[in-house]
Amino acid sequence: SCTVTFRARLPEGSTAIEFKNNLPVGSVSGAGSQNTNTVSSGGTTVDAVKLSKRFTGSTEIDKLPAVSQGQNATLYIDIANRYVTDLTGVNLVDNLIKIAPGITLAADPQPKFTCGSQASVGTLDARPFATEIKLSGATIPARPAGGKESICTIEVQVTGKTPGTFTNQIDPADFTNDKFAQVKKTSAILVVYAGISAKKVFNPEGVVPGAIS
């Protein structure tokens, strides 16, 4: 048998596409013979815009990023543009307590919005101890010639004061753009564990003058 392999690319202007490759009867022939059946590869769906997110902590617990109470973790949100043109008018809201309270932006969130080697366009609002991250009026550059996608990244510092396992989720409604391209829900998990604490007591609490406690 022989195998033919090829790469398919998103057409300009598509918001999502499902690739299907069908070979009808008679489409493969040679030496007086041809295929007598129709063959289909099924479908592969490719999103024109993709969101992804992740936390990085100081350690891992059960293969999940983790930090102790009050310690900072880094949250990354990637926006991938697979169009052959710029994706403009990008707005995104990430509510850190949408699923459950526990994570906020750090005292110094150190917000960054970068697009690799290209200049970033957009306004990133990430305020100390706030529970929302807002990106507005952003432009994600077109994918490079021969490339798969162009990626811009939001980076902020977050913290948690309550021990627990917290899920941070972005829903499709939290993302808009001028092409009306839809994105899938994306989420990331951060574990906050109890840090080391100390206390002191006298034993016994009361003694007569000159006695030892």
Side-chain angles (χ1 to χ4, degrees):
S1 63
C2 297
T3 301
V4 177
T5 303
F6 63 91
R7 296 182 63 186
R9 302 181 66 178
L10 282 171
E12 181 177 357
S14 62
T15 57
I17 190 166
E18 183 178 13
F19 291 108
K20 288 187 176 180
N21 183 26
N22 297 315
L23 295 176
V25 173
S27 59
V28 181
S29 61
S33 62
Q34 63 180 23
N35 64 304
T36 58
N37 63 320
T38 299
V39 180
S40 174
S41 66
T44 299
T45 301
V46 178
D47 296 314
V49 181
K50 181 182 179 181
L51 288 183
S52 59
K53 64 187 314 182
R54 65 194 184 279
F55 288 104
T56 59
S58 58
T59 187
E60 288 189 349
I61 296 178
D62 295 331
K63 298 184 178 181
L64 295 173
V67 292
S68 64
Q69 289 172 274
Q71 189 179 25
N72 287 358
T74 305
L75 170 61
Y76 298 94
I77 303 171
D78 292 332
I79 307 172
N81 176 22
R82 293 167 175 168
Y83 285 107
V84 295
T85 56
D86 291 350
L87 182 67
T88 58
V90 172
N91 302 294
L92 180 148
V93 177
D94 184 4
N95 184 348
L96 296 173
I97 59 173
K98 175 180 288 187
I99 305 299
I103 299 176
T104 69
L105 286 162
D108 181 9
Q110 302 176 38
K112 299 176 185 176
F113 179 59
T114 56
C115 296
S117 61
Q118 302 189 59
S120 59
V121 176
T123 301
L124 181 60
D125 184 2
R127 304 180 185 185
F129 301 116
T131 57
E132 280 192 343
I133 303 161
K134 296 181 180 179
L135 176 68
S136 57
T139 295
I140 314 301
R143 72 171 186 247
K148 175 184 176 182
E149 60 195 14
S150 178
I151 298 177
C152 292
T153 302
I154 296 170
E155 178 183 343
V156 295
Q157 297 296 305
V158 300
T159 189
K161 294 184 177 181
T162 305
T165 301
F166 302 99
T167 300
N168 176 216
Q169 179 174 298
I170 299 176
D171 292 318
D174 300 325
F175 181 86
T176 60
N177 57 89
D178 289 343
K179 293 183 183 293
F180 304 102
Q182 300 296 307
V183 295
K184 291 184 174 66
K185 176 176 67 177
T186 185
S187 62
I189 296 175
L190 178 67
V191 177
V192 179
Y193 60 91
I196 298 175
S197 62
K199 65 177 182 179
K200 60 188 299 182
V201 297
F202 286 103
N203 184 26
E205 293 182 353
V207 296
V208 298
I212 297 175
S213 172

